[in-house]
Amino acid sequence: MAYSRRDFLQFSVSASMALAAAGHLGNPTRAIAQQRLTQDDLLRFDSKGQVTLLHFTDVHAQLAPVYFRPPDTNIGVGDYAGIPPHLVGEEFLKEFGIERGTPLAYAHTFVDYVDLARSYGRLGGLDRTATLVKAIRADRGDDKVLFLDGGDTWQGSFTSLKTNGQDMIECMKLLKPDAMTGHWEFTFGSERFLEMVEAMGYPFLASNVFDSEWDEPAFDNTAYFEKGGVSVAVIGQAMPYTPIANPRWMFPEWSFGIRPEVLQQNIDAAREQGAEVVVLLSHNGFDVDRKLAGILSGVDVILTGHTHDAVPVALEVDGTLIMASGSHGKFLGRIDLEVANGKVTGYSSSLIPVFSDVLEPDAEMAAKIAEFRDPHKAELERVLARTDSLLYRRGNFNGTWDDLICQGIIEERDTQISLSPGFRWGTTLLPGDDITMDDLYTETAMSYPQVYRNEMTGAQLKEILEDVCDNLFNKDPFFQQGGDMVRVGGMSYTCAVNETIGNRISDLRLTATGEPLDASSTYVVGGWASVNQGVEGPAIYDLMESYLTRLGTVNVPDERSVKVVV
């Protein structure tokens, strides 16, 4: 039984902020906004059945609350065009019946983002998530609740980099996950990765990761639980293209892939073991999982991660529920399942926004977070510069954070052109905010941060752009790797997203002169996060520290260097 979007979103109406005349947003204070939204509002839910699934994914080591501006561009292609999650702004609000100016409008879209951010404040914070998880467990009972971590948990912050992920291991233990899968976890290197898996105290599941030499499963694929008297099987699926998107040399022992035939074998085995509910805990990305839902049989729920999509309710696709629970700790996904005679007969779902100003921090988690952040407090809070601009990352083709990084590479490495990866992790700063070391590392903290300086021909640059573009806009999701388009500095181009590889990128030009890039001419290019071994150059966070300190005040025009043809 589906739960109507209008019913689910009812609290957003009661908690909505008044709109001024002509539909423009007013500027109420945060105190007024908070009076209209309570912890009880966030927890309000149509509880159902015997099993509660809680889904938490892609936090990228963000222990504290954050601002995170949702994308203004999220293009779907082929059969996936114009449907969730490829809706943004007003189209998203219309699809899910969300009123402009409400808490959910702020949490899910870029519409009126700065005004709403100043009113509603930050989202996330592991101590706030802990408050929600504990409240739901207390209400439903531990015997009914499964808390599942979709991965990309350990990487992406100053303290994670400095503690080699130990901060996340210790903090996540307090949330007591029942299982997890992963992606960026592997970039700690295989030795450290295995140490961390051993230290977790709960299963790491990866149906699709095999031993490279023996071609046999490298990790457990399935964990079994009894919740509310129902047998539940959870099958894990790590990011299938990890050795392509990240440095293969960091974990050469393992091979990856989607491996749908292996998934089906594990689903069948779970059913034979008596599983009444089968859950796929996935880091495939939404469109990959949408396609899998039409291929696999016997999966009741897919909890999807990797592409950082946030959808207010679980979507039904070919009889399978797909829940996409966002990123950076902004949301906690919940699905309640009613099960009878070995089948799911009803459900309720919601994506709970973790409004940090509304939720009381959990004292136990807050103390553990302080244990890891307080020793670095002075460095975390050290101000490098101040921004007059909105600094954000998400969007298929650009973000002002990456525009700033690209300009920093050009100036600090003396290049004509710069490239910055299309990572979807990294948070937002509002105009007028200080840029601290904490903020800088949130955009750049990783284990292969070197900034290279190379010569490339115009043909090589086009080939790079074509390759990344196909990873994003191939009409077959099984050939998509997630992430966004590589960002560029010092050049512009046109992208026809619906063309085929080799034909999408055209009109490459140097922005300084407007001169077209010549295929055979050589250009000096800087970039970071190369997957190649032995890359030389300063770490991106060191380079940007120097650049930001020299700038003092940051002003990044939101200029689009890419002309998009859809």
Side-chain angles (χ1 to χ4, degrees):
M1 184 179 75
Y3 190 37
S4 81
R5 292 184 177 119
R6 284 290 180 182
D7 288 343
F8 166 66
L9 298 168
Q10 186 176 7
F11 88 82
S12 75
V13 177
S14 65
S16 65
M17 300 165 58
L19 301 181
H24 292 291
L25 180 70
N27 190 27
T29 65
R30 183 176 297 179
I32 293 174
Q34 289 176 23
Q35 288 173 7
R36 294 178 176 269
L37 189 63
T38 69
Q39 182 167 311
D40 287 341
D41 290 326
L42 298 180
L43 287 166
R44 187 176 299 141
F45 188 83
D46 179 23
S47 297
K48 187 180 296 293
Q50 309 98 307
V51 179
T52 293
L53 304 176
L54 298 181
H55 183 221
F56 181 77
T57 191
D58 293 282
V59 68
H60 283 285
Q62 296 306 303
L63 295 173
V66 301
Y67 291 116
F68 183 87
R69 176 189 181 271
D72 58 18
T73 310
N74 187 4
I75 299 171
V77 292
D79 294 339
Y80 304 87
I83 60 175
H86 302 291
L87 300 171
V88 299
E90 298 284 2
E91 289 184 347
F92 186 100
L93 298 180
K94 181 179 179 181
E95 173 73 13
F96 292 102
I98 303 173
E99 297 294 330
R100 185 171 175 171
T102 61
L104 286 182
Y106 164 55
H108 283 282
T109 75
F110 67 95
V111 177
D112 306 314
Y113 182 78
V114 173
D115 285 337
L116 289 174
R118 296 196 193 285
S119 295
Y120 286 114
R122 300 173 189 264
L123 286 96
L126 223 56
D127 50 1
R128 275 71 165 189
T129 299
T131 295
L132 289 174
V133 171
K134 287 184 176 181
I136 294 168
R137 281 176 170 152
D139 177 61
R140 289 286 278 169
D142 278 340
D143 64 326
K144 290 186 177 180
V145 178
L146 271 175
F147 177 71
L148 299 169
D149 176 2
D152 276 3
T153 301
W154 304 343
Q155 170 274 337
S157 72
F158 182 96
T159 55
S160 171
L161 191 67
K162 298 303 181 183
T163 67
N164 212 10
Q166 197 62 35
D167 60 336
M168 296 308 299
I169 293 295
E170 297 301 323
C171 288
M172 288 302 296
K173 278 183 181 179
L174 297 184
L175 284 177
K176 300 177 182 177
D178 291 287
M180 78 172 291
T181 191
H183 167 204
W184 276 86
E185 285 74 13
F186 292 98
T187 66
F188 285 83
S190 54
E191 182 177 353
R192 177 58 180 158
F193 172 81
L194 290 173
E195 290 176 356
M196 296 166 84
V197 168
E198 181 67 24
M200 291 191 321
Y202 47 91
F204 183 91
L205 304 176
S207 175
N208 59 326
V209 181
F210 277 50
D211 182 278
S212 296
E213 182 177 1
W214 300 104
D215 195 31
E216 59 186 20
F219 302 97
D220 290 340
N221 54 63
T222 308
Y224 294 90
F225 306 90
E226 184 169 311
K227 293 293 175 179
V230 174
S231 176
V232 181
V234 177
I235 300 172
Q237 176 88 343
M239 202 288 239
Y241 293 111
T242 300
I244 300 173
N246 307 98
R248 182 188 302 269
W249 57 268
M250 289 185 164
F251 39 88
E253 305 95 323
W254 303 312
S255 65
F256 294 67
I258 298 173
R259 305 183 195 267
E261 71 289 347
V262 175
L263 272 175
Q264 188 62 65
Q265 290 169 10
N266 291 329
I267 294 164
D268 293 344
R271 291 294 186 183
E272 290 171 6
Q273 288 286 327
E276 298 167 271
V277 173
V278 174
V279 177
L280 178 60
L281 178 61
S282 168
H283 208 89
N284 285 325
F286 195 101
D287 287 354
V288 175
D289 283 327
R290 183 188 281 273
K291 181 176 178 178
L292 279 175
I295 293 174
L296 301 173
S297 62
V299 178
D300 298 296
V301 178
I302 300 177
L303 301 176
T304 188
H306 178 54
T307 42
H308 293 195
D309 301 302
V311 180
V313 290
L315 302 180
E316 289 190 60
V317 178
D318 293 316
T320 297
L321 297 173
I322 303 180
M323 172 64 83
S325 299
S327 66
H328 296 83
K330 282 183 61 175
F331 299 98
L332 178 67
R334 177 176 176 177
I335 301 178
D336 279 15
L337 299 174
E338 188 174 70
V339 182
N341 300 317
K343 294 182 179 180
V344 174
T345 56
Y347 73 93
S348 295
S349 68
S350 73
L351 191 58
I352 305 169
V354 185
F355 284 100
S356 62
D357 287 342
V358 174
L359 294 163
E360 188 71 25
D362 175 72
E364 180 186 34
M365 182 66 80
K368 182 60 70 174
I369 292 171
E371 180 183 320
F372 285 98
R373 285 180 62 86
D374 284 358
H376 302 283
K377 181 178 173 64
E379 187 69 354
L380 288 168
E381 295 178 356
R382 181 159 64 89
V383 176
L384 304 176
R386 178 184 180 275
T387 181
D388 288 341
S389 305
L390 176 68
L391 294 181
Y392 65 91
R393 171 157 279 170
R394 273 305 320 277
N396 282 159
F397 291 95
N398 90 299
T400 49
W401 253 119
D402 284 307
D403 291 343
L404 179 62
I405 289 172
C406 282
Q407 191 58 34
I409 291 171
I410 288 173
E411 295 190 26
E412 295 292 314
R413 294 291 273 160
D414 189 22
T415 68
Q416 295 169 279
I417 293 169
S418 57
L419 305 175
S420 187
F423 296 144
R424 294 189 175 188
W425 50 266
T427 58
T428 298
L429 291 178
L430 304 182
D433 282 354
D434 289 332
I435 304 174
T436 65
M437 283 290 280
D438 197 10
D439 300 320
L440 174 58
Y441 275 71
T442 295
E443 309 300 321
T444 59
M446 62 184 317
S447 55
Y448 49 106
Q450 290 76 20
V451 182
Y452 60 81
R453 185 180 188 273
N454 295 332
E455 290 186 348
M456 297 183 188
T457 65
Q460 287 174 319
L461 284 163
K462 183 180 187 300
E463 184 179 2
I464 289 170
L465 294 176
E466 288 279 6
D467 183 61
V468 177
C469 199
D470 195 60
N471 293 339
L472 184 58
F473 297 119
N474 193 300
K475 291 182 181 180
D476 184 347
F478 280 11
F479 292 96
Q480 296 176 8
Q481 296 175 21
D484 285 315
M485 192 63 184
V486 60
R487 278 57 164 127
V488 299
M491 66 172 287
S492 63
Y493 64 92
T494 295
C495 177
V497 297
N498 286 304
E499 288 291 342
T500 56
I501 188 168
N503 300 301
R504 292 190 179 96
I505 306 300
S506 63
D507 196 25
L508 291 79
R509 294 179 179 271
L510 291 172
T511 53
T513 63
E515 174 188 356
L517 266 66
D518 179 72
S520 60
S521 296
T522 299
Y523 304 91
V524 180
V525 180
W528 64 291
S530 169
V531 299
N532 297 323
Q533 193 168 6
V535 175
E536 295 183 355
I540 185 64
Y541 35 79
D542 292 335
L543 180 147
M544 288 304 297
E545 179 187 351
S546 174
Y547 178 62
L548 290 169
T549 301
R550 180 163 57 83
L551 281 183
T553 300
V554 168
N555 194 319
V556 185
D558 197 355
E559 297 175 346
R560 306 299 169 107
S561 59
V562 184
K563 179 182 177 182
V564 181
V565 178
V566 179

